[in-house]
Amino acid sequence: MEQRRFGKTDHMSTVAILGAAAFGNIDQKTTDKAMETALVHGVNHIDIAPSYGKAEDRLAPWMESHRNDFFVGCKTMVRTKKGAKKEILRSLKKLGMERFDLYQIHAITNIQELDQATMTGGAIDALTEAKKEGLTRYIGITGHGAIVPQLLLEALRRIDVDSVLFPLNYVQYGLPEYREHAEELLRQCRKRDIGTMVIKSITKGPWGEKIKTYDIWYEPFTQPNDIQKAISFVLSQDITGLCTASDTDFLPLILQACEEYSHIPPDKQEEMIINSSKYKPLFNV
């Protein structure tokens, strides 16, 4: 599988980053099978959070035996320094680790949350302190929702981070405003040598009134050819890698698509974006 440099961290991350949100509602046996699959495919980067149900408990046995095989990123949804520091320490203890490779402010969705996290006494102070204390090597920020590219651009004006994580897919790029800000975010990250991770790569649209048939909060593409197109589009952008979906049933298909990725020329990307009008973007600006 292709590896790309994760910004100023200099880590060569596989383009598939294991999204441990998939471990939140499954048993240890199913988790073990997914981890074995990831190792077979050479995945070397994991994304996890205490908000992902039982994910930390499920991953802990693997960190005991395979800690050196993975660049491990964790994150907090707590916005205060005191609360975020407490969560950092709790996650390290649960996972049986001495330090993270990356720790992030997680899921910023509006300017008020960004203000809270980046003010004096906010979560950013906990992350900066943790980095100085050796509890994490690098720090980052993630966002979620319709205005996340703008929010993360504003975050980059306020704080110094090593990574960002946000949603990107060709259906979402059908919204010109979202695309414009997302592309500017990627340009700024390249300029500042910031690692870039993508979520929601195989999103077809919101579930709406449909019955959810997978443990994923958006409706995903399910056919191998459609997944390949979606993955190849995302990896054709100037990013480090993409997080795998929150249902382990999709893991083999996503890993295969990452391995079989080939760059989509700009004109073909434009065709995909235009043709995506038959779908509904997950986030409306």
Side-chain angles (χ1 to χ4, degrees):
M1 185 183 298
E2 179 184 349
Q3 296 182 356
R4 298 181 182 179
R5 180 173 171 273
F6 190 43
K8 67 188 77 168
T9 74
D10 274 335
H11 183 261
M12 294 302 294
S13 294
T14 45
V15 292
I17 296 166
L18 186 61
F23 303 158
N25 298 312
I26 61 176
D27 58 24
Q28 190 64 51
K29 183 178 179 180
T30 308
T31 300
D32 292 345
K33 182 179 178 181
M35 288 297 296
E36 289 164 0
T37 299
L39 284 169
V40 167
H41 286 268
V43 174
N44 67 2
H45 189 150
I46 294 177
D47 176 78
I48 194 167
S51 56
Y52 294 159
K54 293 289 185 179
E56 290 179 325
D57 296 316
R58 299 288 178 257
L59 186 62
W62 286 87
M63 289 300 94
E64 183 177 356
S65 55
H66 290 273
R67 174 64 183 94
N68 294 332
D69 294 328
F70 295 101
F71 182 98
V72 180
C74 192
K75 47 205 181 185
T76 181
M77 292 184 69
V78 179
R79 306 305 183 210
T80 64
K81 176 183 178 181
K82 182 177 180 180
K85 184 64 174 294
K86 184 177 181 180
E87 197 151 65
I88 292 170
L89 295 173
R90 185 189 303 122
S91 289
L92 284 171
K93 183 176 181 180
K94 271 199 169 188
L95 289 164
M97 294 166 46
E98 294 183 356
R99 71 172 179 176
F100 291 111
D101 294 300
L102 174 69
Y103 201 84
Q104 303 143 98
I105 298 171
H106 183 36
I108 295 293
T109 60
N110 56 58
I111 193 66
Q112 290 77 22
E113 288 184 350
L114 181 62
D115 289 343
Q116 292 168 358
T118 58
M119 67 187 295
T120 300
I124 187 60
D125 287 349
L127 271 64
T128 301
E129 183 175 276
K131 187 174 182 179
K132 290 179 180 178
E133 295 174 347
L135 299 178
T136 185
R137 297 168 63 202
Y138 306 104
I139 62 175
I141 188 167
T142 85
H144 207 268
I147 62 170
V148 64
Q150 296 102 302
L151 290 173
L152 294 185
L153 281 166
E154 176 59 27
L156 296 189
R157 298 183 190 105
R158 301 183 183 188
I159 57 177
D160 183 22
V161 295
D162 304 300
S163 73
V164 300
L165 177 152
F166 70 105
L168 191 160
N169 58 72
Y170 75 90
V171 178
Q172 195 66 39
Y173 262 27
L175 295 178
E177 185 177 351
Y178 191 94
R179 177 183 179 182
E180 177 186 353
H181 292 295
E183 290 180 338
E184 177 59 22
L185 176 60
L186 291 178
R187 281 192 291 271
Q188 289 301 319
C189 287
R190 171 61 64 180
K191 181 179 179 181
R192 302 172 188 222
D193 200 17
I194 293 172
T196 49
M197 296 176 285
V198 161
I199 53 175
K200 311 296 185 287
S201 58
I202 62 169
T203 302
K204 183 178 181 180
W207 283 111
E209 299 300 318
K210 299 177 184 177
I211 296 174
K212 292 178 65 174
T213 51
Y214 299 100
D215 191 16
I216 303 177
W217 75 269
Y218 56 86
E219 183 181 4
F221 287 110
T222 58
Q223 297 303 308
N225 286 344
D226 291 332
I227 290 174
Q228 184 67 65
K229 283 173 55 180
I231 294 290
S232 292
F233 178 89
V234 168
L235 292 181
S236 294
Q237 312 312 309
D238 189 12
I239 67 165
T240 303
L242 59 90
C243 294
T244 58
S246 59
D247 189 318
T248 56
D249 287 347
F250 283 83
L251 185 59
L253 286 170
I254 293 174
L255 295 180
Q256 181 179 347
C258 286
E259 289 179 337
E260 296 181 2
Y261 152 74
S262 61
H263 183 79
I264 299 176
D267 60 330
K268 297 298 183 182
Q269 291 184 40
E270 295 301 329
E271 287 182 17
M272 291 178 66
I273 294 169
I274 292 171
N275 292 333
S276 74
S277 60
K278 59 188 172 183
Y279 305 117
K280 183 179 180 181
L282 183 59
F283 306 115
N284 281 303
V285 178

